Amino acid sequence: MIFITAKFRVLPEHADRWPEITAEFTEATRAEPGCLWFDWSRSLDDPTEYVLVEAFRDDEAGAAHVGSDHFRKARQTLPPHLAETPRIVNTTVPQNDWSELGEMAVPSHD
């Protein structure tokens, strides 16, 4: 899978509305057949920073995402709300889902 983490620094006046601002893009991306997940989180230390964790099935799915109409639209509509160019880590991982964090295994609650 293609695993991507990106940090978005949002202008302070738009930070509280970022989930609303990105809602259409987020919903359309999650509906892509090759999208495994597309999840936003807000920093606990900096309320203007959002982290996007996303994964796509393979290179073909990643290319389809970047070539989609909603991605092209987001390239136009999202930057005016940002304080700087987002930073990204993009890698290919030989798995297709999250693995368990064995060092923090939780016993069964059965």
Side-chain angles (χ1 to χ4, degrees):
M1 75 175 157
I2 298 172
F3 184 82
I4 302 165
T5 302
K7 288 188 173 189
F8 291 73
R9 183 141 349 261
V10 180
L11 291 168
E13 62 269 26
H14 301 294
D16 287 340
R17 291 188 46 249
W18 188 248
E20 177 187 332
I21 292 165
T22 61
E24 183 179 323
F25 176 56
T26 298
E27 290 171 22
T29 301
R30 287 176 176 167
E32 294 174 23
C35 180
L36 300 175
W37 58 81
F38 194 86
D39 298 320
W40 293 97
S41 298
R42 193 172 191 178
S43 171
L44 296 176
D45 299 322
D46 180 353
T48 68
E49 183 180 81
Y50 284 82
V51 176
L52 176 60
V53 179
E54 56 187 303
F56 297 91
R57 183 184 59 244
D58 52 25
D59 288 338
E60 183 179 304
H65 171 61
V66 173
S68 69
D69 289 340
H70 55 272
F71 189 88
R72 279 193 289 280
K73 182 177 179 185
R75 289 182 60 200
Q76 300 301 314
T77 60
L78 299 186
H81 302 280
L82 299 174
E84 63 187 30
T85 301
R87 293 168 293 144
I88 187 170
V89 174
N90 181 336
T91 191
T92 301
V93 181
Q95 60 192 69
N96 60 11
D97 202 353
W98 292 92
S99 299
E100 288 187 350
L101 178 59
E103 296 82 0
M104 292 192 187
V106 176
S108 174
H109 295 287
D110 296 344

mmCIF file of all heavy atoms in Angstrom, residues 1-31:
data_model
loop_
_atom_site.group_PDB
_atom_site.id
_atom_site.type_symbol
_atom_site.label_atom_id
_atom_site.label_comp_id
_atom_site.label_asym_id
_atom_site.label_seq_id
_atom_site.Cartn_x
_atom_site.Cartn_y
_atom_site.Cartn_z
ATOM 1 N N MET A 1 0.851 -1.182 0.000
ATOM 2 C CA MET A 1 0.000 0.000 0.000
ATOM 3 C C MET A 1 0.884 1.229 0.000
ATOM 4 O O MET A 1 2.034 1.188 0.427
ATOM 5 C CB MET A 1 -0.926 0.002 1.211
ATOM 6 C CG MET A 1 -0.281 0.358 2.520
ATOM 7 S SD MET A 1 -1.475 0.483 3.853
ATOM 8 C CE MET A 1 -0.413 0.215 5.247
ATOM 9 N N ILE A 2 0.321 2.328 -0.475
ATOM 10 C CA ILE A 2 0.972 3.627 -0.372
ATOM 11 C C ILE A 2 0.470 4.265 0.922
ATOM 12 O O ILE A 2 -0.739 4.395 1.127
ATOM 13 C CB ILE A 2 0.627 4.515 -1.574
ATOM 14 C CG1 ILE A 2 1.132 3.873 -2.860
ATOM 15 C CG2 ILE A 2 1.228 5.903 -1.395
ATOM 16 C CD1 ILE A 2 0.664 4.589 -4.100
ATOM 17 N N PHE A 3 1.403 4.613 1.791
ATOM 18 C CA PHE A 3 1.075 5.194 3.091
ATOM 19 C C PHE A 3 1.589 6.629 3.109
ATOM 20 O O PHE A 3 2.766 6.872 2.837
ATOM 21 C CB PHE A 3 1.714 4.375 4.214
ATOM 22 C CG PHE A 3 1.359 4.851 5.589
ATOM 23 C CD1 PHE A 3 0.156 4.474 6.159
ATOM 24 C CD2 PHE A 3 2.224 5.654 6.303
ATOM 25 C CE1 PHE A 3 -0.185 4.910 7.435
ATOM 26 C CE2 PHE A 3 1.893 6.096 7.573
ATOM 27 C CZ PHE A 3 0.691 5.717 8.141
ATOM 28 N N ILE A 4 0.710 7.567 3.411
ATOM 29 C CA ILE A 4 1.041 8.981 3.358
ATOM 30 C C ILE A 4 0.617 9.650 4.657
ATOM 31 O O ILE A 4 -0.484 9.415 5.158
ATOM 32 C CB ILE A 4 0.308 9.665 2.180
ATOM 33 C CG1 ILE A 4 0.688 8.995 0.857
ATOM 34 C CG2 ILE A 4 0.588 11.166 2.159
ATOM 35 C CD1 ILE A 4 -0.221 9.348 -0.295
ATOM 36 N N THR A 5 1.509 10.474 5.169
ATOM 37 C CA THR A 5 1.175 11.338 6.292
ATOM 38 C C THR A 5 1.554 12.751 5.877
ATOM 39 O O THR A 5 2.669 12.981 5.405
ATOM 40 C CB THR A 5 1.940 10.935 7.565
ATOM 41 O OG1 THR A 5 1.639 9.578 7.866
ATOM 42 C CG2 THR A 5 1.541 11.801 8.738
ATOM 43 N N ALA A 6 0.635 13.680 6.026
ATOM 44 C CA ALA A 6 0.903 15.066 5.648
ATOM 45 C C ALA A 6 0.474 15.995 6.773
ATOM 46 O O ALA A 6 -0.544 15.765 7.427
ATOM 47 C CB ALA A 6 0.152 15.421 4.363
ATOM 48 N N LYS A 7 1.276 17.043 6.979
ATOM 49 C CA LYS A 7 0.960 18.059 7.986
ATOM 50 C C LYS A 7 0.520 19.321 7.271
ATOM 51 O O LYS A 7 1.215 19.822 6.390
ATOM 52 C CB LYS A 7 2.176 18.348 8.862
ATOM 53 C CG LYS A 7 2.501 17.227 9.813
ATOM 54 C CD LYS A 7 3.581 17.648 10.783
ATOM 55 C CE LYS A 7 3.766 16.575 11.837
ATOM 56 N NZ LYS A 7 4.661 17.050 12.912
ATOM 57 N N PHE A 8 -0.630 19.825 7.675
ATOM 58 C CA PHE A 8 -1.209 21.030 7.112
ATOM 59 C C PHE A 8 -1.255 22.107 8.192
ATOM 60 O O PHE A 8 -1.899 21.919 9.223
ATOM 61 C CB PHE A 8 -2.644 20.772 6.637
ATOM 62 C CG PHE A 8 -2.749 19.870 5.439
ATOM 63 C CD1 PHE A 8 -2.527 18.504 5.536
ATOM 64 C CD2 PHE A 8 -3.079 20.402 4.199
ATOM 65 C CE1 PHE A 8 -2.639 17.680 4.426
ATOM 66 C CE2 PHE A 8 -3.188 19.584 3.078
ATOM 67 C CZ PHE A 8 -2.965 18.225 3.190
ATOM 68 N N ARG A 9 -0.563 23.217 7.970
ATOM 69 C CA ARG A 9 -0.647 24.344 8.887
ATOM 70 C C ARG A 9 -1.683 25.309 8.311
ATOM 71 O O ARG A 9 -1.504 25.880 7.244
ATOM 72 C CB ARG A 9 0.697 25.030 9.062
ATOM 73 C CG ARG A 9 0.600 26.137 10.049
ATOM 74 C CD ARG A 9 1.748 26.352 10.998
ATOM 75 N NE ARG A 9 2.770 25.359 11.080
ATOM 76 C CZ ARG A 9 2.832 24.412 12.034
ATOM 77 N NH1 ARG A 9 1.905 24.338 12.950
ATOM 78 N NH2 ARG A 9 3.819 23.555 12.055
ATOM 79 N N VAL A 10 -2.786 25.440 9.026
ATOM 80 C CA VAL A 10 -3.942 26.216 8.576
ATOM 81 C C VAL A 10 -3.859 27.625 9.169
ATOM 82 O O VAL A 10 -3.417 27.803 10.310
ATOM 83 C CB VAL A 10 -5.248 25.505 9.014
ATOM 84 C CG1 VAL A 10 -6.470 26.270 8.575
ATOM 85 C CG2 VAL A 10 -5.270 24.081 8.472
ATOM 86 N N LEU A 11 -4.264 28.616 8.388
ATOM 87 C CA LEU A 11 -4.322 29.979 8.918
ATOM 88 C C LEU A 11 -5.215 29.998 10.157
ATOM 89 O O LEU A 11 -6.272 29.347 10.178
ATOM 90 C CB LEU A 11 -4.863 30.937 7.857
ATOM 91 C CG LEU A 11 -3.940 31.188 6.674
ATOM 92 C CD1 LEU A 11 -4.701 31.896 5.558
ATOM 93 C CD2 LEU A 11 -2.722 31.990 7.104
ATOM 94 N N PRO A 12 -4.820 30.701 11.208
ATOM 95 C CA PRO A 12 -5.579 30.677 12.465
ATOM 96 C C PRO A 12 -7.064 30.971 12.289
ATOM 97 O O PRO A 12 -7.901 30.337 12.939
ATOM 98 C CB PRO A 12 -4.899 31.755 13.320
ATOM 99 C CG PRO A 12 -3.510 31.837 12.783
ATOM 100 C CD PRO A 12 -3.628 31.559 11.301
ATOM 101 N N GLU A 13 -7.398 31.885 11.393
ATOM 102 C CA GLU A 13 -8.807 32.237 11.219
ATOM 103 C C GLU A 13 -9.630 31.130 10.549
ATOM 104 O O GLU A 13 -10.861 31.170 10.550
ATOM 105 C CB GLU A 13 -8.956 33.554 10.445
ATOM 106 C CG GLU A 13 -8.388 33.525 9.040
ATOM 107 C CD GLU A 13 -6.929 33.970 8.942
ATOM 108 O OE1 GLU A 13 -6.173 33.855 9.945
ATOM 109 O OE2 GLU A 13 -6.537 34.431 7.856
ATOM 110 N N HIS A 14 -8.969 30.123 9.996
ATOM 111 C CA HIS A 14 -9.670 29.016 9.345
ATOM 112 C C HIS A 14 -9.530 27.689 10.110
ATOM 113 O O HIS A 14 -10.146 26.697 9.731
ATOM 114 C CB HIS A 14 -9.148 28.812 7.918
ATOM 115 C CG HIS A 14 -9.308 30.004 7.048
ATOM 116 N ND1 HIS A 14 -10.537 30.501 6.665
ATOM 117 C CD2 HIS A 14 -8.384 30.832 6.495
ATOM 118 C CE1 HIS A 14 -10.359 31.571 5.905
ATOM 119 N NE2 HIS A 14 -9.063 31.795 5.794
ATOM 120 N N ALA A 15 -8.711 27.679 11.148
ATOM 121 C CA ALA A 15 -8.364 26.419 11.819
ATOM 122 C C ALA A 15 -9.578 25.685 12.382
ATOM 123 O O ALA A 15 -9.685 24.457 12.223
ATOM 124 C CB ALA A 15 -7.339 26.674 12.919
ATOM 125 N N ASP A 16 -10.476 26.361 13.028
ATOM 126 C CA ASP A 16 -11.629 25.673 13.618
ATOM 127 C C ASP A 16 -12.575 25.124 12.558
ATOM 128 O O ASP A 16 -13.294 24.163 12.807
ATOM 129 C CB ASP A 16 -12.394 26.608 14.559
ATOM 130 C CG ASP A 16 -11.652 26.852 15.859
ATOM 131 O OD1 ASP A 16 -10.759 26.040 16.212
ATOM 132 O OD2 ASP A 16 -11.937 27.864 16.524
ATOM 133 N N ARG A 17 -12.568 25.726 11.365
ATOM 134 C CA ARG A 17 -13.460 25.297 10.284
ATOM 135 C C ARG A 17 -12.802 24.302 9.321
ATOM 136 O O ARG A 17 -13.440 23.872 8.363
ATOM 137 C CB ARG A 17 -13.931 26.523 9.494
ATOM 138 C CG ARG A 17 -14.860 27.425 10.254
ATOM 139 C CD ARG A 17 -15.466 28.542 9.405
ATOM 140 N NE ARG A 17 -15.964 28.053 8.128
ATOM 141 C CZ ARG A 17 -15.414 28.351 6.931
ATOM 142 N NH1 ARG A 17 -14.361 29.126 6.841
ATOM 143 N NH2 ARG A 17 -15.930 27.877 5.820
ATOM 144 N N TRP A 18 -11.536 23.939 9.544
ATOM 145 C CA TRP A 18 -10.831 23.066 8.604
ATOM 146 C C TRP A 18 -11.591 21.776 8.297
ATOM 147 O O TRP A 18 -11.706 21.391 7.139
ATOM 148 C CB TRP A 18 -9.419 22.783 9.093
ATOM 149 C CG TRP A 18 -8.583 22.047 8.101
ATOM 150 C CD1 TRP A 18 -8.126 20.764 8.219
ATOM 151 C CD2 TRP A 18 -8.103 22.521 6.835
ATOM 152 N NE1 TRP A 18 -7.382 20.421 7.110
ATOM 153 C CE2 TRP A 18 -7.358 21.483 6.248
ATOM 154 C CE3 TRP A 18 -8.250 23.723 6.141
ATOM 155 C CZ2 TRP A 18 -6.747 21.596 5.008
ATOM 156 C CZ3 TRP A 18 -7.638 23.843 4.901
ATOM 157 C CH2 TRP A 18 -6.908 22.806 4.347
ATOM 158 N N PRO A 19 -12.161 21.086 9.287
ATOM 159 C CA PRO A 19 -12.938 19.881 8.946
ATOM 160 C C PRO A 19 -14.083 20.169 7.975
ATOM 161 O O PRO A 19 -14.350 19.379 7.064
ATOM 162 C CB PRO A 19 -13.450 19.389 10.300
ATOM 163 C CG PRO A 19 -12.433 19.895 11.274
ATOM 164 C CD PRO A 19 -12.037 21.256 10.735
ATOM 165 N N GLU A 20 -14.737 21.300 8.157
ATOM 166 C CA GLU A 20 -15.815 21.695 7.244
ATOM 167 C C GLU A 20 -15.258 22.072 5.861
ATOM 168 O O GLU A 20 -15.825 21.704 4.831
ATOM 169 C CB GLU A 20 -16.557 22.888 7.850
ATOM 170 C CG GLU A 20 -17.655 23.469 6.993
ATOM 171 C CD GLU A 20 -18.216 24.761 7.590
ATOM 172 O OE1 GLU A 20 -18.176 24.927 8.816
ATOM 173 O OE2 GLU A 20 -18.675 25.597 6.793
ATOM 174 N N ILE A 21 -14.153 22.796 5.851
ATOM 175 C CA ILE A 21 -13.530 23.231 4.601
ATOM 176 C C ILE A 21 -13.106 22.032 3.758
ATOM 177 O O ILE A 21 -13.224 22.045 2.533
ATOM 178 C CB ILE A 21 -12.327 24.158 4.900
ATOM 179 C CG1 ILE A 21 -12.835 25.484 5.491
ATOM 180 C CG2 ILE A 21 -11.470 24.385 3.659
ATOM 181 C CD1 ILE A 21 -11.765 26.329 6.154
ATOM 182 N N THR A 22 -12.621 20.986 4.399
ATOM 183 C CA THR A 22 -12.112 19.805 3.687
ATOM 184 C C THR A 22 -13.143 18.693 3.541
ATOM 185 O O THR A 22 -12.846 17.642 2.977
ATOM 186 C CB THR A 22 -10.884 19.228 4.412
ATOM 187 O OG1 THR A 22 -11.265 18.826 5.735
ATOM 188 C CG2 THR A 22 -9.745 20.231 4.463
ATOM 189 N N ALA A 23 -14.347 18.887 4.030
ATOM 190 C CA ALA A 23 -15.346 17.809 4.077
ATOM 191 C C ALA A 23 -15.646 17.198 2.712
ATOM 192 O O ALA A 23 -15.665 15.961 2.570
ATOM 193 C CB ALA A 23 -16.634 18.303 4.726
ATOM 194 N N GLU A 24 -15.872 17.999 1.715
ATOM 195 C CA GLU A 24 -16.201 17.474 0.385
ATOM 196 C C GLU A 24 -15.035 16.656 -0.184
ATOM 197 O O GLU A 24 -15.230 15.556 -0.704
ATOM 198 C CB GLU A 24 -16.534 18.634 -0.549
ATOM 199 C CG GLU A 24 -16.953 18.209 -1.940
ATOM 200 C CD GLU A 24 -17.292 19.408 -2.821
ATOM 201 O OE1 GLU A 24 -17.870 20.397 -2.319
ATOM 202 O OE2 GLU A 24 -16.963 19.345 -4.025
ATOM 203 N N PHE A 25 -13.827 17.178 -0.053
ATOM 204 C CA PHE A 25 -12.626 16.478 -0.516
ATOM 205 C C PHE A 25 -12.441 15.164 0.249
ATOM 206 O O PHE A 25 -12.155 14.113 -0.334
ATOM 207 C CB PHE A 25 -11.413 17.393 -0.343
ATOM 208 C CG PHE A 25 -10.105 16.764 -0.689
ATOM 209 C CD1 PHE A 25 -9.876 16.207 -1.940
ATOM 210 C CD2 PHE A 25 -9.073 16.742 0.234
ATOM 211 C CE1 PHE A 25 -8.644 15.643 -2.267
ATOM 212 C CE2 PHE A 25 -7.847 16.187 -0.077
ATOM 213 C CZ PHE A 25 -7.635 15.640 -1.329
ATOM 214 N N THR A 26 -12.625 15.226 1.552
ATOM 215 C CA THR A 26 -12.462 14.035 2.393
ATOM 216 C C THR A 26 -13.472 12.953 2.006
ATOM 217 O O THR A 26 -13.101 11.785 1.809
ATOM 218 C CB THR A 26 -12.613 14.415 3.881
ATOM 219 O OG1 THR A 26 -11.579 15.350 4.217
ATOM 220 C CG2 THR A 26 -12.519 13.201 4.779
ATOM 221 N N GLU A 27 -14.730 13.317 1.890
ATOM 222 C CA GLU A 27 -15.773 12.340 1.538
ATOM 223 C C GLU A 27 -15.528 11.729 0.166
ATOM 224 O O GLU A 27 -15.669 10.507 -0.016
ATOM 225 C CB GLU A 27 -17.145 13.007 1.592
ATOM 226 C CG GLU A 27 -17.597 13.357 2.990
ATOM 227 C CD GLU A 27 -18.855 14.208 3.010
ATOM 228 O OE1 GLU A 27 -19.625 14.197 2.021
ATOM 229 O OE2 GLU A 27 -19.071 14.889 4.022
ATOM 230 N N ALA A 28 -15.159 12.560 -0.811
ATOM 231 C CA ALA A 28 -14.910 12.046 -2.161
ATOM 232 C C ALA A 28 -13.706 11.113 -2.181
ATOM 233 O O ALA A 28 -13.723 10.078 -2.857
ATOM 234 C CB ALA A 28 -14.703 13.211 -3.131
ATOM 235 N N THR A 29 -12.668 11.450 -1.433
ATOM 236 C CA THR A 29 -11.483 10.591 -1.389
ATOM 237 C C THR A 29 -11.808 9.265 -0.712
ATOM 238 O O THR A 29 -11.417 8.198 -1.202
ATOM 239 C CB THR A 29 -10.327 11.301 -0.661
ATOM 240 O OG1 THR A 29 -10.018 12.508 -1.350
ATOM 241 C CG2 THR A 29 -9.100 10.417 -0.618
ATOM 242 N N ARG A 30 -12.519 9.299 0.392
ATOM 243 C CA ARG A 30 -12.880 8.057 1.088
ATOM 244 C C ARG A 30 -13.734 7.144 0.213
ATOM 245 O O ARG A 30 -13.735 5.934 0.396
ATOM 246 C CB ARG A 30 -13.616 8.379 2.385
ATOM 247 C CG ARG A 30 -12.714 8.932 3.457
ATOM 248 C CD ARG A 30 -13.489 9.319 4.695
ATOM 249 N NE ARG A 30 -12.600 9.774 5.752
ATOM 250 C CZ ARG A 30 -13.004 10.402 6.843
ATOM 251 N NH1 ARG A 30 -14.303 10.641 7.026
ATOM 252 N NH2 ARG A 30 -12.132 10.794 7.750
ATOM 253 N N ALA A 31 -14.448 7.718 -0.743
ATOM 254 C CA ALA A 31 -15.299 6.926 -1.639
ATOM 255 C C ALA A 31 -14.520 6.299 -2.801
ATOM 256 O O ALA A 31 -15.070 5.447 -3.517
ATOM 257 C CB ALA A 31 -16.425 7.801 -2.186
#
